Amino acid sequence: MATARFGCRAISRAFTHAFQRRRAPCLLHELGKRSYVASKVQLEDLYRSRKDAAEAEVASPDQNPEAIFANNELSLSQVEVYGFDYDYTLATYTPDLHKLIFSLGKEALVNRLKYPGEILQLEYDSDFAVRGLHYDVRKGLLMKIDQFHNIQLGTVYRGLSPVADEEVKALYEGTHIPVENMNTFYGSGRMHQMVDLFALPEVTLISMVTEYFIKNNISYDPEYVFYDIRNAVQAIHSSGILHQAIVRGLDRYLCRDKCHEVKLLLEKLAGEGKKLFLITNSGFPFIDVGMEYMVGQDWQELFDIVIVNARKPKFFKEGYRPFRVYNTEIEAPEWGRVTQLRKGVVYHQGNLHELQKMTGWYGPKVLYFGDHVYSDLIDPSLRFGWRTGAIIPELETEVCKQNSPVYKSSVRWLIALQHLIDEMQHQNSEESKDMIKAWLAERSELRVFTKSLFNPHFGSLFRTYHNPTYFFRRLARFADIYTSNLTNLLRYSTDYTFYPHRILLPHEPSLYTARVAERTSTHAERTNTHADRSSANSELH
C-alpha cells in the first residue's frame, strides 16, 4: 500500500513538474500557489488577464435545438418496439392550449366555487412560470429547487411577488427542504411539483389568485386555494370539457406543421418492421379525432396495440386491472375477458404486466416516449427495464437561448471568475478581501443575468445558478434520451446510437484551468515584453 501511495505521489510530482516546465515563468505561477499572498495590484493584473483570456476563448459550438440528447447510451438497432403517449408526445399543442386551460379554470372557480367575479378579468401570463417548480401547499410559496433539495434564492414567489432571501431562510431555517417534505415520485406531497405542461396554466392561476387576495386584503388559506384550483383544473380534464374544446378547435390547438411529420415518423418505423403501440390516459373519441387529423382515417393500421383510459401511472404500478375491449361504435368498453391483444382492436385500461405477458415485449427492446417524467417514464425505466425517451417542448427554446453570443460570453466569464475566486479566496489582507468581495458581487450579477435570459423569475428549466434542477435530476435518472419533439427522431436512422457526454467529476482534472492558465501566461508574457520594450526605449532617449 505504501508503495502504491508513493507511486501516486511520484507520478503527481512528475506531472506537476512537466506542466510547470511547459509554462513560461510569470505572475500566474506564483499566484497559483494557494499560500501566496498577493498585492492588490497583482490581483488586478490577474483579474484583467483572466477576463482577456475568457474574451479570447473560442465560443463553444451551437447545439442543434432539434437534436436528441442522451443521458444514457442507447442504440436504436436494439429497439424492436416503439411506444408513445398521446398528449404532448404524438400530439404537439400550441400555446393557445394553456390560455384555454387558464380560462376554463378561472371560470370554474367563479361559477362553481363562488370565487370573486373579478378573477374572470385575469389574463394568462405565459412568461411567468416554468415547468418543474415546487409549490409549498401550506406556506403558499412557489419556488425552484435544485437536485440537492436546496431552494434557489431569488426564485421564491408569494403570488406574483418575490419573497426576500432573508424571509425564505427564516421560513425554512435555511434553504434545504427535508426529504420527508418533498413530493413523491408521483407528484403528491406538501412540496407539490408542477411536473407536466398542463401544470403551467394551473400554477399561474394559483399565483394570480393569491396575488389578487393579497392586494385586496382578502383573508385566504394557501392550502384551500391550492386544492380549489387544482381540483377545478383537474375537473376540466376529467369532465371532458377540455377535450371537447380542443376537438372544436383542432386548427388552433394542434401544431399543423408537426402533423405531417408525425405521420412520416410512424410510417417510417412501421415500414422498417418495428412494432408500435399507444398508451394514453385520454379516451378513444378524443385521440381518434386528433390522430385522424394528424395521420389520417387509417391511423390505427400503423399501430399494433392501442390502449386508452390507461390510468397511468397505475397502469405501470398495479397488476390487477384487466384489459377490456373498447367498442368504438357504441363508445363503451365490453365485458368479455381479454386473453390476447390484437392489432386493429382498441383496449381500455389494463396493466403493464398483462401487456408484457401477452406481447412478449420485455426490457430494452422497448422504447417508450412520454412527456411526464413520473407518470410515463419512471416505472417503465426502473421496474421493467424499458428504454425511455422524454419529450420536453421547452428544450428547443432553451437551447436557442443558450446558443446566443451574449449567453455564451457571460457563462465563459462567469466560469473564469469563479475559478479565480476559488484560487485566490485565501488572501487575508483587507484590500485583497475587499477585492474578493467585489468579485463575488460581480459573480452574483452574472448569475442573475444569465438566469434572466431564460426566465426573469425562475430561470432555466434545467439549471439553478450552477446545479441541475430537481426536475432535471429526475429527467436524467428516468429518461435515456430527451428531445423537444418526437418528430426529431426522423433525423436519425433506426440503427443510430446515442452517446451521452462524459461528465466531469469534481475530482477529475479539468482542461479549463490549463487552457486559461496558458492564455493568461501568454498575456502576461506579452505585457512584460511590452513593458521591457517601453523601459528600454525610455533609457535610449
Side-chain angles (χ1 to χ4, degrees):
M1 183 65 71
T3 303
R5 287 199 298 268
F6 175 79
C8 287
R9 289 198 298 269
I11 292 170
S12 178
R13 285 197 299 270
F15 177 83
T16 302
H17 292 159
F19 181 70
Q20 290 177 350
R21 283 197 300 273
R22 291 199 302 269
R23 294 167 54 194
C26 65
L27 173 64
L28 180 67
H29 176 58
E30 293 301 320
L31 293 182
K33 299 176 181 177
R34 291 185 184 269
S35 61
Y36 184 87
V37 178
S39 67
K40 180 180 179 181
V41 172
Q42 288 173 320
L43 289 176
E44 289 174 342
D45 286 343
L46 186 57
Y47 173 90
R48 285 193 296 269
S49 297
R50 289 292 176 89
K51 193 159 192 177
D52 289 344
E55 291 175 353
E57 188 74 21
V58 176
S60 58
D62 286 353
Q63 290 277 25
N64 179 2
E66 297 180 333
I68 295 177
F69 303 97
N71 293 316
N72 190 22
E73 186 172 322
L74 170 61
S75 176
L76 294 182
S77 63
Q78 299 176 4
V79 176
E80 301 174 11
V81 185
Y82 285 79
F84 311 96
D85 180 36
Y86 178 74
D87 290 310
Y88 282 109
T89 302
L90 285 169
T92 302
Y93 292 110
T94 68
D96 283 339
L97 180 60
H98 285 179
K99 295 179 182 177
L100 173 64
I101 295 172
F102 183 86
S103 178
L104 293 174
K106 66 183 182 181
E107 289 175 7
L109 283 180
V110 173
N111 297 332
R112 289 180 41 240
L113 300 178
K114 308 307 177 184
Y115 272 57
E118 290 81 1
I119 286 175
L120 292 175
Q121 299 173 13
L122 299 176
E123 294 186 7
Y124 181 60
D125 181 1
S126 60
D127 297 324
F128 174 64
V130 298
R131 189 151 52 123
L133 299 176
H134 283 78
Y135 186 82
D136 189 327
V137 175
R138 295 179 186 171
K139 290 184 171 65
L141 299 178
L142 183 66
M143 66 193 72
K144 189 161 77 169
I145 296 177
D146 73 8
Q147 65 172 341
F148 299 109
H149 299 188
N150 289 315
I151 301 168
Q152 181 183 359
L153 294 176
T155 68
V156 181
Y157 280 74
R158 180 181 289 110
L160 302 178
S161 304
V163 180
D165 293 348
E166 292 308 312
E167 182 180 352
V168 173
K169 293 176 183 178
L171 286 170
Y172 293 96
E173 298 180 343
T175 60
H176 185 260
I177 303 296
V179 65
E180 59 267 20
N181 291 345
M182 295 296 291
N183 61 292
T184 66
F185 281 165
Y186 304 102
S188 61
R190 169 183 166 183
M191 299 296 296
H192 185 89
Q193 189 178 17
M194 303 298 185
V195 181
D196 64 9
L197 282 156
F198 289 123
L200 285 175
E202 178 183 321
V203 73
T204 302
L205 184 57
I206 292 170
S207 299
M208 286 188 164
V209 169
T210 300
E211 186 75 7
Y212 171 83
F213 284 152
I214 292 172
K215 286 189 173 180
N216 289 277
N217 295 316
I218 298 174
S219 177
Y220 72 99
D221 185 316
E223 196 162 356
Y224 286 149
V225 172
F226 172 81
Y227 284 111
D228 279 351
I229 294 177
R230 179 158 180 78
N231 292 335
V233 173
Q234 292 297 316
I236 294 168
H237 292 266
S238 60
S239 66
I241 293 175
L242 178 63
H243 286 172
Q244 292 166 15
I246 292 173
V247 167
R248 290 193 299 268
L250 289 177
D251 287 334
R252 179 178 179 184
Y253 298 118
L254 280 177
C255 290
R256 294 181 60 87
D257 60 332
K258 294 297 181 183
C259 293
H260 183 60
E261 291 185 1
V262 170
K263 180 179 180 180
L264 291 178
L265 174 62
L266 296 176
E267 289 176 342
K268 172 188 173 183
L269 295 175
E272 295 190 23
K274 305 298 182 181
K275 300 293 184 181
L276 306 182
F277 68 92
L278 170 63
I279 303 178
T280 176
N281 285 349
S282 298
F284 179 78
F286 175 66
I287 68 161
D288 184 43
V289 172
M291 290 300 295
E292 183 176 326
Y293 181 86
M294 292 187 288
V295 180
Q297 289 185 338
D298 58 350
W299 68 269
Q300 289 187 61
E301 295 180 9
L302 294 170
F303 289 88
D304 295 271
I305 303 293
V306 175
I307 301 168
V308 299
N309 300 109
R311 300 166 67 248
K312 294 180 294 182
K314 292 182 178 179
F315 179 90
F316 299 118
K317 292 168 54 183
E318 301 172 355
Y320 54 79
R321 185 63 65 98
F323 282 104
R324 299 176 69 178
V325 171
Y326 182 85
N327 189 318
T328 58
E329 294 184 0
I330 64 173
E331 296 186 351
E334 297 178 354
W335 296 275
R337 183 177 180 83
V338 174
T339 58
Q340 61 177 328
L341 301 178
R342 305 190 310 273
K343 186 171 183 175
V345 178
V346 178
Y347 295 95
H348 175 87
Q349 296 189 358
N351 63 81
L352 184 56
H353 295 281
E354 291 297 313
L355 173 65
Q356 291 191 136
K357 186 186 300 183
M358 287 190 272
T359 60
W361 296 345
Y362 290 95
K365 67 181 179 181
V366 182
L367 173 57
Y368 184 71
F369 287 93
D371 71 292
H372 198 298
V373 176
Y374 300 144
S375 294
D376 290 321
L377 307 181
I378 180 173
D379 289 300
S381 173
L382 289 186
R383 301 179 64 201
F384 300 99
W386 284 7
R387 310 309 298 270
T388 51
I391 305 302
I392 313 293
E394 306 98 319
L395 179 63
E396 186 169 340
T397 300
E398 290 226 358
V399 170
C400 288
K401 290 178 179 178
Q402 76 180 26
N403 284 342
S404 67
V406 64
Y407 177 79
K408 289 183 178 181
S409 62
S410 297
V411 169
R412 283 200 307 274
W413 174 227
L414 175 59
I415 294 172
L417 181 60
Q418 186 157 306
H419 274 280
L420 180 58
I421 294 169
D422 177 35
E423 293 169 13
M424 306 312 297
Q425 60 182 308
H426 64 278
Q427 300 298 319
N428 54 19
S429 69
E430 289 304 316
E431 62 179 12
S432 296
K433 288 181 180 179
D434 289 341
M435 185 161 290
I436 299 297
K437 288 179 182 177
W439 293 353
L440 285 168
E442 183 177 359
R443 184 187 74 140
S444 296
E445 292 175 2
L446 282 167
R447 292 165 81 176
V448 171
F449 175 70
T450 53
K451 164 196 156 188
S452 69
L453 293 175
F454 294 98
N455 177 287
H457 310 290
F458 302 101
S460 168
L461 169 64
F462 304 100
R463 182 180 289 282
T464 56
Y465 288 130
H466 50 277
N467 289 331
T469 58
Y470 187 89
F471 175 85
F472 184 76
R473 175 191 177 187
R474 297 301 196 196
L475 174 68
R477 177 64 183 89
F478 306 131
D480 293 290
I481 56 177
Y482 63 101
T483 188
S484 62
N485 195 284
L486 178 67
T487 59
N488 294 338
L489 199 60
L490 278 169
R491 296 164 175 78
Y492 301 84
S493 67
T494 51
D495 60 359
Y496 188 90
T497 299
F498 297 100
Y499 295 100
H501 292 169
R502 180 180 173 86
I503 299 173
L504 186 66
L505 303 177
H507 67 274
E508 293 179 327
S510 169
L511 294 177
Y512 169 83
T513 304
R515 188 169 64 244
V516 172
E518 189 66 31
R519 289 188 178 277
T520 308
S521 174
T522 302
H523 174 80
E525 286 179 350
R526 290 173 179 170
T527 302
N528 292 337
T529 301
H530 178 74
D532 291 343
R533 288 176 179 172
S534 299
S535 177
N537 289 336
S538 298
E539 291 177 3
L540 287 173
H541 289 87

